[in-house]
Amino acid sequence: MDEKWDLLLYEFCKLGGIAENVCLREGEIGRGIFSTNTNIKSKIVVPSQLLVKTECICLEDNKIRLKKDIGYSAEYRKFFNYYQDNFSWGGGGKETTELFEKGLNMFPSEIKKLIKKYTLYDIEERHRGSWNEIIKRQFLNFRKIGFNHTASIAPLFELVNHEVNALPFVRTINGLSTPNYNPREFELTHNYGYQSSLTRVFDFGFFCEESMVFSLPFNIKLKDTGIEFICKGLELINDKVKFQATDNQVIIDGLPIAHINRPSFIKNYFSHLLDIINIKTIEPDLFLDIVKLNSSRRKEILDQLKLIDNVSSRTICRAINYEIGLISHV
């Protein structure tokens, strides 16, 4: 592996990338990037010309390849193929993706319908098409990163694992870079972005103890006004309140209902929401009712998933149990 890794770094740097003081090995959260020398800084930079749009990637003989009709040099194609065959798709990525998707596919239709109803994830739609193309699509979805409003794959950079309290990656007009950490003895990580634990499982295929819990979709009729209070169940990337209001309905995109470190933020957000939507009469226990509804629906999914034992069900159950735990402290 060391010889293959050394060759990969050599070719990567020859093409304009930067890979300083980094090695690939197993850590507490799986395979990841570590410093070769813990006394000096480590860095990975993927210039924009080495990023590959996901739409430019195809399968050939069930191997990840660049489409033939796009303008990449023979040298870059050779590097990309070597990287995919030894460290990404062919380095365990295909197997882990397929294991997770097979687990989802084995869920009975009743559980798939329940998950779609409560979490908006449509497993049947996710698995529409040929199986090899499904695995390729999900593999790319797990690893893609946004650059210039386009989903792209960043060789080497995608090997850096997610951690909630890590710094975010550095994005410039010239490309992507790992965070500017001081020398460190432990794994190099970065934050993939703000998501709940349950969403992280479906979008990336792994469990992580995320900070925030968002509400599942709900529709509650306010007793004193007759107004329908509807939540779409989306996740919010900032604290801006997004809503639509008519005489009969108030529709919000999403609602944070628990935070591991900032419980006051949750209460303040909901109070601010009520002020903005300007409904004169609100049941005093409305937020508590929303929390109870979220907890009961998660438990309903959990009770069904406990009847299945595979990687996917266990991972989803971990996320749901974690979120129920955070909700219970609201």
Side-chain angles (χ1 to χ4, degrees), residues 5 8-13 17-20 22 24 33 43-46 50 79 83-84 87-88 153-161 178 190:
W5 179 253
L8 178 76
L9 297 189
Y10 173 78
E11 296 296 336
F12 178 71
C13 294
I18 297 174
E20 299 175 350
V22 291
L24 185 68
I33 299 293
K43 187 176 186 179
I44 295 174
V45 177
V46 186
L50 299 189
F79 160 78
Y83 171 71
Q84 289 296 334
F87 297 95
S88 192
I153 296 298
L156 258 76
F157 188 86
E158 64 158 289
L159 301 178
V160 182
N161 285 323
T178 48
H190 68 90

Side-chain angles (χ1 to χ4, degrees), residues 40-191:
I40 60 177
K41 286 187 175 184
S42 300
K43 187 176 186 179
I44 295 174
V45 177
V46 186
S48 57
Q49 68 269 20
L50 299 189
L51 297 173
V52 179
K53 295 178 182 179
T54 56
E55 64 190 40
C56 297
I57 295 173
C58 65
L59 281 180
E60 290 183 10
D61 298 324
N62 211 19
K63 294 181 179 180
I64 290 289
R65 293 293 183 260
L66 297 171
K67 292 179 180 178
K68 287 184 167 56
D69 57 347
I70 55 176
Y72 285 98
S73 67
E75 185 180 22
Y76 184 78
R77 287 177 180 275
K78 182 179 178 182
F79 160 78
F80 186 79
N81 293 348
Y82 182 81
Y83 171 71
Q84 289 296 334
D85 291 348
N86 292 282
F87 297 95
S88 192
W89 174 262
K94 175 183 179 294
E95 287 74 12
T96 55
T97 302
E98 189 160 27
L99 185 64
F100 185 76
E101 296 305 319
K102 278 185 175 179
L104 294 180
N105 194 47
M106 290 172 62
F107 290 0
S109 60
E110 294 78 12
I111 295 181
K112 291 180 181 180
K113 289 176 182 177
L114 191 64
I115 289 173
K116 179 182 177 181
K117 179 181 179 181
Y118 287 160
T119 73
L120 306 180
Y121 282 97
D122 189 339
I123 296 175
E124 293 288 352
E125 183 63 30
R126 180 181 179 124
H127 289 164
R128 200 173 300 279
S130 72
W131 186 249
N132 286 342
E133 285 295 323
I134 291 167
I135 300 307
K136 183 210 75 173
R137 182 173 64 244
Q138 288 308 126
F139 168 82
L140 296 177
N141 284 341
F142 288 166
R143 286 157 179 77
K144 68 185 179 183
I145 194 166
F147 186 79
N148 286 343
H149 308 292
T150 303
S152 299
I153 296 298
L156 258 76
F157 188 86
E158 64 158 289
L159 301 178
V160 182
N161 285 323
H162 165 73
E163 196 172 30
V164 174
N165 296 320
L167 295 173
F169 63 85
V170 179
R171 182 193 283 115
T172 70
I173 59 172
N174 298 317
L176 301 169
S177 173
T178 48
N180 184 25
Y181 286 120
N182 291 323
R184 52 199 286 154
E185 296 182 359
F186 42 94
E187 182 177 353
L188 274 70
T189 57
H190 68 90
N191 191 304

Side-chain angles (χ1 to χ4, degrees), residues 87-321:
F87 297 95
S88 192
W89 174 262
K94 175 183 179 294
E95 287 74 12
T96 55
T97 302
E98 189 160 27
L99 185 64
F100 185 76
E101 296 305 319
K102 278 185 175 179
L104 294 180
N105 194 47
M106 290 172 62
F107 290 0
S109 60
E110 294 78 12
I111 295 181
K112 291 180 181 180
K113 289 176 182 177
L114 191 64
I115 289 173
K116 179 182 177 181
K117 179 181 179 181
Y118 287 160
T119 73
L120 306 180
Y121 282 97
D122 189 339
I123 296 175
E124 293 288 352
E125 183 63 30
R126 180 181 179 124
H127 289 164
R128 200 173 300 279
S130 72
W131 186 249
N132 286 342
E133 285 295 323
I134 291 167
I135 300 307
K136 183 210 75 173
R137 182 173 64 244
Q138 288 308 126
F139 168 82
L140 296 177
N141 284 341
F142 288 166
R143 286 157 179 77
K144 68 185 179 183
I145 194 166
F147 186 79
N148 286 343
H149 308 292
T150 303
S152 299
I153 296 298
L156 258 76
F157 188 86
E158 64 158 289
L159 301 178
V160 182
N161 285 323
H162 165 73
E163 196 172 30
V164 174
N165 296 320
L167 295 173
F169 63 85
V170 179
R171 182 193 283 115
T172 70
I173 59 172
N174 298 317
L176 301 169
S177 173
T178 48
N180 184 25
Y181 286 120
N182 291 323
R184 52 199 286 154
E185 296 182 359
F186 42 94
E187 182 177 353
L188 274 70
T189 57
H190 68 90
N191 191 304
Y192 287 7
Y194 209 52
Q195 284 189 306
S196 69
S197 293
L198 189 56
T199 301
R200 185 73 68 193
V201 170
F202 281 107
D203 285 358
F204 288 88
F206 66 84
F207 167 72
C208 184
E209 294 183 354
E210 302 291 337
S211 301
M212 186 84 81
V213 180
F214 290 91
S215 176
L216 301 177
F218 65 78
N219 186 330
I220 296 176
K221 180 162 285 190
L222 304 180
K223 297 175 184 177
D224 294 334
T225 64
I227 292 175
E228 286 185 294
F229 187 36
I230 302 169
C231 176
K232 294 181 181 179
L234 304 179
E235 299 203 338
L236 309 176
I237 59 174
N238 54 49
D239 57 3
K240 184 178 180 180
V241 177
K242 295 182 179 180
F243 74 99
Q244 302 169 8
T246 66
D247 292 340
N248 302 316
Q249 289 184 333
V250 172
I251 305 173
I252 59 174
D253 284 357
L255 180 68
I257 57 173
H259 194 294
I260 191 169
N261 297 318
R262 298 169 60 196
S264 61
F265 166 78
I266 300 301
K267 295 177 181 179
N268 292 338
Y269 185 95
F270 191 70
S271 296
H272 181 55
L273 170 65
L274 297 184
D275 288 341
I276 290 177
I277 61 179
N278 196 29
I279 297 176
K280 301 302 182 182
T281 306
I282 295 286
E283 292 88 341
D285 294 330
L286 175 60
F287 186 71
L288 183 59
D289 290 341
I290 293 171
V291 169
K292 288 179 178 178
L293 180 64
N294 269 273
S295 184
S296 66
R297 288 182 173 177
R298 283 173 169 82
K299 288 176 181 177
E300 189 176 345
I301 298 173
L302 196 62
D303 288 342
Q304 293 296 315
L305 284 178
K306 285 178 179 177
L307 304 175
I308 305 168
D309 185 23
N310 62 41
V311 169
S312 305
S313 62
R314 291 194 297 270
T315 307
I316 296 171
C317 283
R318 286 185 69 192
I320 292 177
N321 275 317

